Amino acid sequence: MSLLEAASPLEASVDQDFDEHVEQPTPSPDSQRGVLEGLFALVCPLLLILAVALNPLDQSDSTPAGSAGAGLTMEVAMKLLLSGAVGLVAVLGWMLCPSVRQRLTKFPGWILVALGGIFLVTSAAAFGPAATVSRAAAMISCLSIVFIAVTLQFLSLRQTLQCVLIGLVLHLVVAWCLYLGGGETAVYQEELAQSLIIERMGSTAHPNSLGRIGALAILVCLGLWRTRNRPLTPVMIAMMGFVFAISTATMFESMSRTAALSCAAAVLAVMIDRLVNRRGLALGLCGVMGVCLLMLAIGLMSEGSDVGSRVVAVGTKTGDIEELTSATGRTDIWAEAIRYIAQRPLTGWGLNSAPLLLEDFSHHTHNLLLHVIFSAGILAGICVAVLLGWTVYHAVTVVDPMFRGIAAYICVSGLFEDTAFETFPFASTLLWLLVLLAASVETPRSDGPDEATLEHLASDLRQ
């Protein structure tokens, strides 16, 4: 027994040395998954912030002379690199995450996938001089749809909205620094009535684009405030005040009435459930009183002239009422766009072909549906019409104020601007994709909600 007892420790020592030197431990699948999720959770918000901040950047579009250019500038090269990184994350997420593929196969995700496929197929028949850009834009649109699905897999909806807000504010800060610093791109000179020159804020992009950024910053900030789960602190109040101040100033200096109108519609949609109580009624009465006081001030300043003419002068850039009845010449633009659509109803002319084909008509179709049909044909237009209808239906049937606000913005802005599916997706496109793909997961409806239901509806935004 003593010999066996002496041998057993020796054998144990040999076995231990053998295990240490021969059997190398391998990482468990759970640890590898944790590292992968951590990388996605780090990269996705960074790319989303950069996309929101950089994609609208186009100093060639901040001056009328360069608004139709599509050359490979430093800005375009930077956005192409960013789009490449977004595409890489999108492809990896598609391959590695079954839940991403599942989200895109649910309604309305599969409508977005179909729309992206139509963009790709019709880009093969794009207008010659714009063919390369059209195919690149179609690919970027497809990858952006998948990227948003990947982002929603690793971030909550509230976190993605916070990233969007950060990107919007960063762009506004840079725009104001360049605007106040002067330079040849600081001011956009718009020629109206063949003789009148209107100076609008330019700096980083077209004034209408800057106005949209300001409107979206107000919308997202207000939506985050409505869905907060903790009391406001002085720091949070100061940050909200800064966002509202810089966004309102941007819309004023850019003189974008579409941005102001869509922002007002979005704010009303976000706050409409608060108008049924006494505080909301008081705010509504204050708004009516403000309008009455404004009309009174206009009448006093008119010095005996027609008050209606003064109202028109305030609401227009030229003082001519035809500017309002024609939506600043948009009726002529729409007629020209329809004429081009009639020539290619099935394939369209390709994404980003309008700056070349509509060179004498403001370079854009100035309508969301016309923009999509002009670019990719009637089938793409049907897809977008279905998405618009479902967005409105979803906004009406759910309790979430953020959904209502984004739906109102897309519908109102889409009447007068392209709004979505740009060459490099703007914040409006990304926000709409967020709403659509987040809603692919079944959301409780607003038919007689109780306290538990309301809490469940807001849980995604409050994470």
Side-chain angles (χ1 to χ4, degrees):
M1 288 294 294
S2 61
L3 182 60
L4 293 175
E5 289 176 356
S8 59
L10 180 61
E11 292 175 354
S13 176
V14 172
D15 291 341
Q16 183 177 2
D17 292 340
F18 181 80
D19 292 339
E20 289 179 356
H21 292 89
V22 177
E23 295 184 3
Q24 299 296 330
T26 57
S28 65
D30 290 338
S31 64
Q32 291 178 340
R33 181 177 300 176
V35 172
L36 185 63
E37 290 179 354
L39 289 175
F40 273 107
L42 178 65
V43 173
C44 286
L46 177 61
L47 291 179
L48 184 58
I49 291 172
L50 291 176
V52 172
L54 297 181
N55 282 350
L57 185 62
D58 188 1
Q59 289 189 313
S60 66
D61 203 31
S62 63
T63 57
S67 58
L72 184 60
T73 63
M74 181 65 68
E75 298 162 2
V76 174
M78 182 169 55
K79 290 188 285 187
L80 284 173
L81 288 175
L82 177 60
S83 298
V86 168
L88 179 60
V89 172
V91 171
L92 289 176
W94 169 275
M95 294 172 55
L96 300 176
C97 303
S99 54
V100 171
R101 299 192 294 272
Q102 184 179 9
R103 185 188 292 269
L104 290 172
T105 55
K106 292 182 178 180
F107 186 86
W110 67 268
I111 296 289
L112 288 170
V113 173
L115 179 62
I118 293 172
F119 282 155
L120 285 175
V121 172
T122 56
S123 66
F127 178 58
T132 301
V133 177
S134 297
R135 289 158 192 161
M139 181 65 69
I140 291 171
S141 295
C142 293
L143 293 174
S144 297
I145 293 170
V146 180
F147 172 74
I148 292 299
V150 174
T151 301
L152 287 172
Q153 179 63 29
F154 296 97
L155 299 176
S156 68
L157 182 57
R158 182 176 181 84
Q159 289 171 332
T160 60
L161 293 174
Q162 290 171 340
C163 294
V164 170
L165 182 60
I166 292 173
L168 291 170
V169 173
L170 285 176
H171 189 102
L172 291 177
V173 170
V174 174
W176 273 97
C177 290
L178 295 177
Y179 182 57
L180 297 177
E184 60 180 19
T185 63
V187 176
Y188 180 93
Q189 294 184 338
E190 182 179 14
E191 183 178 354
L192 296 174
Q194 298 179 348
S195 60
L196 181 62
I197 301 296
I198 302 296
E199 292 188 347
R200 306 169 64 185
M201 180 179 178
S203 65
T204 57
H206 189 279
N208 290 342
S209 298
L210 290 174
R212 287 165 56 187
I213 293 172
L216 290 171
I218 292 176
L219 167 60
V220 177
C221 185
L222 188 63
L224 289 173
W225 170 73
R226 282 296 315 275
T227 56
R228 71 191 188 281
N229 58 356
R230 57 182 178 178
L232 289 175
T233 63
V235 175
M236 294 172 64
I237 294 174
M239 291 185 347
M240 286 183 59
F242 174 75
V243 172
F244 278 100
I246 193 172
S247 301
T248 304
T250 301
M251 286 192 292
F252 180 80
E253 286 296 312
S254 64
M255 301 176 67
S256 176
R257 288 161 299 186
T258 300
L261 181 62
S262 57
C263 180
V267 169
L268 179 62
V270 170
M271 301 297 296
I272 194 168
D273 58 318
R274 293 292 183 92
L275 297 179
V276 297
N277 55 26
R278 287 179 294 178
R279 182 182 299 179
L281 181 61
L283 290 174
L285 290 175
C286 290
V288 173
M289 291 177 60
V291 172
C292 293
L293 290 175
L294 178 62
M295 295 294 295
L296 177 61
I298 293 174
L300 293 175
M301 291 187 299
S302 63
E303 298 179 354
S305 62
D306 183 15
V307 176
S309 301
R310 297 290 298 183
V311 173
V312 170
V314 171
T316 63
K317 301 171 187 174
T318 63
D320 188 356
I321 193 172
E322 186 179 354
E323 185 181 338
L324 295 180
T325 58
S326 66
T328 319
R330 282 174 171 79
T331 52
D332 295 334
I333 297 171
W334 296 336
E336 183 69 7
I338 292 173
R339 187 179 71 83
Y340 273 102
I341 289 172
Q343 299 177 28
R344 286 191 177 188
L346 295 180
T347 63
W349 296 86
L351 289 168
N352 204 51
S353 60
L356 297 176
L357 295 171
L358 301 179
E359 188 173 359
D360 297 330
F361 292 86
S362 189
H363 307 288
H364 300 282
T365 59
H366 286 282
N367 180 272
L368 176 56
L369 272 178
L370 288 180
H371 162 61
V372 174
I373 299 174
F374 186 96
S375 301
I378 294 177
L379 291 179
I382 293 174
C383 289
V384 171
V386 171
L387 292 174
L388 284 171
W390 191 86
T391 301
V392 174
Y393 168 77
H394 190 74
V396 171
T397 56
V398 300
V399 190
D400 194 335
M402 194 68 210
F403 286 171
R404 295 197 304 264
I406 294 176
Y409 177 87
I410 291 295
C411 291
V412 175
S413 178
L415 291 174
F416 306 103
E417 298 291 345
D418 296 350
T419 302
F421 304 112
E422 307 87 351
T423 304
F424 298 98
F426 283 20
S428 53
T429 302
L430 298 175
L431 282 172
W432 194 21
L433 293 177
L434 282 170
V435 168
L436 293 171
L437 292 176
S440 294
V441 179
E442 185 176 356
T443 307
R445 304 297 172 182
S446 60
D447 299 329
D450 54 13
E451 192 70 23
T453 302
L454 292 175
E455 183 64 26
H456 174 73
L457 288 173
S459 61
D460 192 22
L461 279 169
R462 291 180 175 179
Q463 288 180 7

